[in-house]
Amino acid sequence: MLFSDTTLRDGEQMPGATLEPADKVRIAQALDELGVHSLDAGFPASSEADRQAIRLMAPVIKRPVLTALCRTLPSDIDIAEEALQARARHKRGVSLFCGTSPLHRRDKLQKDRAQILRLILDALQYATERFEIVAFSPEDASRTELDFLCEIYREAIDAGVTTIGFPDTVGVLTPDGVRDMLRHIQDHVSNIEKALLAVHFHNDLGCAVANTLEAVQEGANVVQCTMNGIGERAGNTSLEEVAVAMSLHPDLYGPLGSLNVSRLVPTCRLVAELTGIPLPINKPIAGQTVFATEAGIHQDGLLKNPDTYLPFRPELVGAEGVQLVLGRHSGRRAVEHRLQALGLRFDAAHVNAVLEQLKSQPKGTLLEDARLREIVTGIKPSTGASDVTP
Ligand code: KIV
Ligand code: ZN
């Protein structure tokens, strides 16, 4: 599978996520190490900061193709060409978009179908004369009439695009709709094998990851995602979630390709730090508590074999490891384990004292190691008790 990352463009569109050009370069380098195939590096016609970031990335990012977002305007394509000029031709591209749904045609662009198609094809001709890699996305594809959508794709491919995009711009689809639309497109776009099919989902219904996985099963070649799922409104498909789901189920989704999943958590953390958009503590893959367990039965199982209560080991994605925290729901095994880890001498009376303390632990708090030491060192071990210190 080819992963295209749009953290630096759609991700940055999230309110408050604005990145300085130098920060974008740092994230792009991390995404390069992670092994993404292409980077949606920004929308250069939109701001000098976007142009500057792309100019900085162009000579230093090694492997991914860098693409610049453009409207169907020659001036946008010229600006992209200037910003990307330091990059080898086979490593740079433009990604054009134009609203195609009835709403966009009527209320945003005031153009009919024929005018929209002309606008797209003229811009694609301009782009293909200047770039080897050209993608086209019908914006609001998921609300565009299927016959018009297929006509646009056929014509765009004939015009020489290398990738056709399928954006669910307002995140309105569910997996069944994705399956039906992609099947229709593949059955009715006769030249579809000449271009890659890239899918791009927004998360307004919380379905972006499920939709992306459905699209993979339906033959999508490229999945476009953002780190931490940041992006417009409810965000985009979370790259780390798709990558791990694919890596756990190659029988369903095929090989993961060049992505190095052990770089996921460090990259998620870097994006959170530089965008200032914190990871929710329970965010799948990289959230602070997703490998932490407080409940006694789970702690006991995890100590016997981590796989009892984990879908995958934290080390797989570059996280530190399972954390057994001590709170109201914790049990004897976890207390003993923590005391051993701290190198404290203890017996059953000490453990009972800690368990007593845990019962009265204030809501939402955990027992810190310092307090644990205090409790244990304040009680004299009873004579003859078995010492479980290693
Ligand atoms: O969601 C969307 O439609 C987009 C386009 C610019 C492709 O991000
Ligand atoms: Zn988008």
Side-chain angles (χ1 to χ4, degrees):
M1 181 51 52
L2 302 177
F3 279 81
S4 165
D5 182 274
T6 183
T7 306
L8 301 177
R9 200 276 301 167
D10 221 335
E12 203 211 10
Q13 278 177 227
M14 185 159 174
T18 313
L19 291 158
E20 294 303 335
D23 292 342
K24 286 197 174 182
V25 177
R26 277 182 70 193
I27 292 175
Q29 282 165 330
L31 292 166
D32 186 356
E33 264 184 61
L34 177 63
V36 301
H37 166 261
S38 54
L39 279 179
D40 183 1
F43 183 7
S46 72
S47 73
E48 176 51 32
D50 269 40
R51 292 192 278 284
Q52 185 57 16
I54 295 174
R55 286 187 205 113
L56 290 174
M57 277 180 240
V60 298
I61 300 305
K62 296 192 195 96
R63 287 157 292 213
V65 170
L66 293 189
T67 60
L69 188 75
C70 299
R71 291 165 293 185
T72 43
L73 295 174
S75 54
D76 276 24
I77 299 163
D78 289 341
I79 292 170
E81 195 176 16
E82 180 279 320
L84 284 163
Q85 65 186 342
R87 195 142 183 93
R89 290 181 70 77
H90 69 289
K91 289 283 182 185
R92 68 175 180 200
V94 277
S95 181
L96 273 60
F97 72 99
C98 178
T100 54
S101 65
L103 268 165
H104 280 234
R105 296 195 309 261
R106 188 190 64 223
D107 296 336
K108 191 176 91 167
L109 301 165
Q110 287 90 42
K111 291 193 188 328
D112 64 21
R113 281 187 182 199
Q115 289 168 314
I116 292 284
L117 191 57
R118 193 66 269 143
L119 187 68
I120 294 169
L121 294 179
D122 286 348
L124 288 180
Q125 184 181 346
Y126 195 82
T128 52
E129 283 164 5
R130 287 158 181 80
F131 284 90
E132 287 175 13
I133 298 170
V134 177
F136 177 71
S137 293
E139 193 186 18
D140 208 14
S142 49
R143 294 191 297 180
T144 300
E145 307 91 326
L146 277 166
D147 66 322
F148 187 43
L149 194 59
C150 291
E151 182 184 2
I152 293 167
Y153 286 142
R154 274 192 303 271
E155 296 277 348
I157 295 170
D158 277 346
V161 301
T162 45
T163 301
I164 51 167
F166 179 79
D168 180 20
T169 303
V170 296
V172 73
L173 289 180
T174 60
D176 287 337
V178 172
R179 181 199 57 225
D180 292 349
M181 288 195 82
L182 293 188
R183 283 190 187 174
H184 186 98
I185 290 165
Q186 301 195 66
D187 287 345
H188 292 83
V189 178
S190 50
N191 49 1
I192 196 154
E193 78 291 346
K194 293 190 184 148
L196 296 172
L197 172 61
V199 293
H200 172 114
F201 293 101
H202 280 271
N203 202 30
D204 300 70
L205 301 182
C207 287
V209 169
N211 287 345
T212 302
L213 293 172
E214 182 72 26
V216 171
Q217 285 199 313
E218 290 303 324
N221 311 105
V222 182
V223 289
Q224 192 164 61
C225 312
T226 61
M227 297 309 299
N228 305 345
I230 60 170
E232 192 70 42
R233 301 182 312 283
N236 290 55
T237 303
S238 162
L239 187 147
E240 63 278 12
E241 293 178 29
V242 172
V244 175
M246 287 188 67
S247 81
L248 295 186
H249 302 291
D251 46 328
L252 292 175
Y253 305 115
L256 191 59
S258 59
L259 216 72
N260 175 3
V261 289
S262 72
R263 295 297 311 155
L264 286 172
V265 168
T267 312
C268 290
R269 288 180 185 162
L270 180 73
V271 169
E273 181 197 326
L274 296 181
T275 57
I277 307 286
L279 278 159
I281 59 168
N282 65 342
K283 172 77 178 63
I285 320 303
Q288 193 195 319
T289 62
V290 293
F291 300 114
T293 297
E294 186 198 318
I297 292 175
H298 284 228
Q299 293 182 323
D300 181 52
L302 286 163
L303 285 167
K304 289 173 175 149
N305 176 353
D307 297 329
T308 51
Y309 285 108
L310 284 178
F312 56 89
R313 299 282 178 105
E315 297 76 17
L316 177 84
V317 293
E320 284 76 20
V322 175
Q323 294 158 260
L324 301 183
V325 296
L326 299 181
R328 257 193 222 176
H329 307 103
S330 306
R332 179 171 296 277
R333 282 279 285 130
V335 171
E336 288 172 356
H337 181 262
R338 190 70 205 139
L339 292 172
Q340 279 176 1
L342 292 172
L344 294 168
R345 292 177 68 81
F346 63 92
D347 64 11
H350 292 125
V351 175
N352 289 339
V354 175
L355 288 170
E356 253 336 283
Q357 165 70 37
L358 286 177
K359 278 189 213 151
S360 55
Q361 191 67 19
K363 182 178 159 359
T365 65
L366 297 173
L367 191 66
E368 301 293 340
D369 286 346
R371 179 75 188 112
L372 203 56
R373 271 180 210 283
E374 226 175 81
I375 297 169
V376 172
T377 52
I379 296 176
K380 199 172 171 293
S382 56
T383 45
S386 62
D387 184 355
V388 282
T389 307

